[in-house]
Amino acid sequence: MLYLIGLGLSDETDITVKGLETVKKCSRVYLEAYTSILLVDTPVLESYYGREVIIADREMVESASDEILRDAQNVDVAFLVVGDPFGATTHTDLVLRARELSIPIQSIPNASIMSAIGATGLQLYNFGQTVSMVFFTDNWKPASFYDRIRENRSIGLHTLVLLDIKVKEQSLENMARGRKVYEPPRYMTVAQCTAQMLEIEEEKRSAGEGGVYDEESLAVGAARVGGKSEKFVSGTLKQLCESDEVLGAPLHSMVLLGRRTHELESDYVREFAVDKEIWDRIWKRDYEGKQ
Amino acid sequence: MLYLIGLGLSDETDITVKGLETVKKCSRVYLEAYTSILLVDTPVLESYYGREVIIADREMVESASDEILRDAQNVDVAFLVVGDPFGATTHTDLVLRARELSIPIQSIPNASIMSAIGATGLQLYNFGQTVSMVFFTDNWKPASFYDRIRENRSIGLHTLVLLDIKVKEQSLENMARGRKVYEPPRYMTVAQCTAQMLEIEEEKRSAGEGGVYDEESLAVGAARVGGKSEKFVSGTLKQLCESDEVLGAPLHSMVLLGRRTHELESDYVREFAVDKEIWDRIWKRDYEGKQ
């Protein structure tokens, strides 16, 4: 059997009881470690499970999935995923491959950032499609997120923005020379994300295609959602460009509010405002009572 | 401290280890029992937690929340919610009230149907806003879901439809006579939901406002997501009107596909098709390669 097991969002105790019992009986245990991370290190998981944990990087999952699935017709294999097992596309590939090999599959769900973001007080019913933000480079500033936010905002909905993480990345030089030397991991912060959003808005405006949001659009930054040190900050996009100190360590994510925001949502989120007066002024002007 | 603890979707072992450790140390334990249900009964939970579990019905949560919060400045109180604690609006009310009373709050997230629905193989990134479907009566057929589906479909997105549950409902007669006699619980099935959807489409067409979907629109029915007996059925809305026998016991939910469905998603979902030939024909005609 192939077990896809969600680990939740924070530490080793966020696994479900069912998940933990299952991991403990598996012959091999893989941890998918490139679409998200827990706030604890692998040795902590190994001692908690009483099992060796094999790190499955992108290369292994995408190119060597048959190794992960080896003999899973006969033995139990666990594939651990931070959050929920079906949060990322990659894992449906693994399941399709397992199906081809007639390997039975069971998934054990857990909290995903896509639902846990409800802890901001914003209603999950009012979210449109989720977008991802990647680290811009000098030459590469992918802006497909912008049109998706435009769609969400055109119908008044919130947008959850998931922020890039870079683990086990090689520098161009090391890649060119075939040296398996990896850069330190990087986790995008809310400030980096909002700055990139405003940069793209600026570009789009110059091209006459802008106006999806602006410096005064309201948003909520979130850090370590579901963990004990969970932290939220709300304010304008401009204000969130300075939010890193308050939010602290990774992982971060953020929500851009839709105009259909309910008063109860605003009441809840206002509590986290950088400046409640500014929040109230913009709320009344741009959101309150809008449909 | 007020702990809001998600129970996940299926049975007593879907609570997280952190959640279980927390429940066991709480002085009072409430179970919110009207927006969703687990597939096991309360006595099972009580024996698993070693704690009495107080059922919190809608009336209690909405009108007697101060009883739930009583003395929570000094003792630990657990408020258990099926799925994730922030799945339903009601619970943000409870938190707002706790804030007023200076009660510290901690939430422990868990799987929600809003993320666990990814087990269908449909990508969470491609979902628009979630809608709810209530039981129609002869005189009451609320159709606000229709405009929201229209919005989602206009931008090519999937729609998760959450299905009504009725627990502790009084008949009109019993209500009028003040008799606290309750009807047996009812859980909407995928077949009932799709029939109601087609009924509204018919009405809207007669009024010249239809065309959001039709009998041949593709959808996925889901039953007991996250449980061992989890079951999916895919097909046209018309086909899903006959899916109850295959899907079996509650809880059900369903997803109406958006035209932006990726080929990988279709490959995955096709496995559950009532009739793979019909699926393929409609997929090619109405979805494949559409943006």
Side-chain angles (χ1 to χ4, degrees), chain B residues 168-183:
Chain B
K168 220 180 160 186
E169 296 279 321
Q170 290 170 284
S171 68
L172 284 175
E173 193 190 337
N174 283 325
M175 205 184 292
R177 299 187 181 210
R179 288 192 296 224
K180 299 232 163 192
V181 176
Y182 303 103
E183 302 300 301

Side-chain angles (χ1 to χ4, degrees), chain A residues 34-76:
Chain A
Y34 60 95
T35 59
S36 190
I37 55 153
L38 281 185
L39 309 178
V40 294
D41 294 326
T42 311
V44 175
L45 298 181
E46 292 190 315
S47 100
Y48 196 69
Y49 304 151
R51 281 282 176 284
E52 185 200 357
V53 171
I54 305 162
I55 298 292
D57 58 20
R58 187 183 298 271
E59 201 184 327
M60 179 186 253
V61 178
E62 293 182 357
S63 316
S65 61
D66 281 6
E67 169 53 27
I68 296 173
L69 299 173
R70 176 171 51 83
D71 202 28
Q73 295 88 348
N74 307 304
V75 300
D76 289 328

Side-chain angles (χ1 to χ4, degrees), chain B residues 70-90:
Chain B
R70 177 174 48 83
D71 202 28
Q73 294 89 348
N74 306 303
V75 301
D76 288 329
V77 174
F79 185 76
L80 310 180
V81 181
V82 175
D84 185 80
F86 287 98
T89 323
T90 298

Side-chain angles (χ1 to χ4, degrees), chain A residues 13 15 17-18 48 151 260, chain B residues 13 15 17-18 151 260:
Chain A
T13 63
I15 195 169
V17 175
K18 188 182 285 173
Y48 196 69
E151 290 170 343
R260 226 188 243 171
Chain B
T13 64
I15 194 170
V17 175
K18 188 182 285 173
E151 291 171 340
R260 227 189 243 169

Side-chain angles (χ1 to χ4, degrees), chain A residues 61-210:
Chain A
V61 178
E62 293 182 357
S63 316
S65 61
D66 281 6
E67 169 53 27
I68 296 173
L69 299 173
R70 176 171 51 83
D71 202 28
Q73 295 88 348
N74 307 304
V75 300
D76 289 328
V77 174
F79 186 76
L80 310 181
V81 181
V82 175
D84 185 81
F86 287 99
T89 323
T90 299
H91 314 133
T92 52
D93 271 332
L94 186 68
V95 174
L96 285 169
R97 180 66 184 145
R99 275 191 196 158
E100 282 171 20
L101 299 170
S102 304
I103 295 168
I105 299 146
Q106 200 192 318
S107 70
I108 299 180
N110 207 324
S112 157
I113 184 65
M114 293 201 189
S115 48
I117 197 67
T120 52
L122 297 172
Q123 289 303 315
L124 295 176
Y125 284 87
N126 293 337
F127 280 74
Q129 58 199 318
T130 299
V131 304
S132 296
M133 177 71 74
V134 301
F135 281 112
F136 287 178
T137 66
D138 288 345
N139 313 314
W140 193 62
K141 301 183 179 187
S144 63
F145 73 86
Y146 189 82
D147 289 329
R148 305 216 145 192
I149 294 180
R150 187 199 299 276
E151 290 170 343
N152 287 342
R153 284 179 75 86
S154 74
I155 53 178
L157 299 177
H158 308 316
T159 305
L160 170 63
V161 187
L162 299 179
L163 310 192
D164 204 3
I165 74 172
K166 293 273 186 208
V167 290
K168 219 178 162 186
E169 296 279 321
Q170 290 171 283
S171 67
L172 284 175
E173 192 190 337
N174 282 326
M175 205 183 291
R177 300 186 179 208
R179 289 191 296 223
K180 298 234 165 192
V181 175
Y182 302 103
E183 302 299 301
R186 290 193 300 153
Y187 308 100
M188 188 183 287
T189 66
V190 166
Q192 290 169 323
C193 172
T194 46
Q196 291 192 174
M197 285 174 69
L198 291 174
E199 183 182 343
I200 295 297
E201 176 62 46
E202 188 68 30
E203 270 184 22
K204 295 280 181 184
R205 273 177 205 229
S206 306
E209 299 162 355

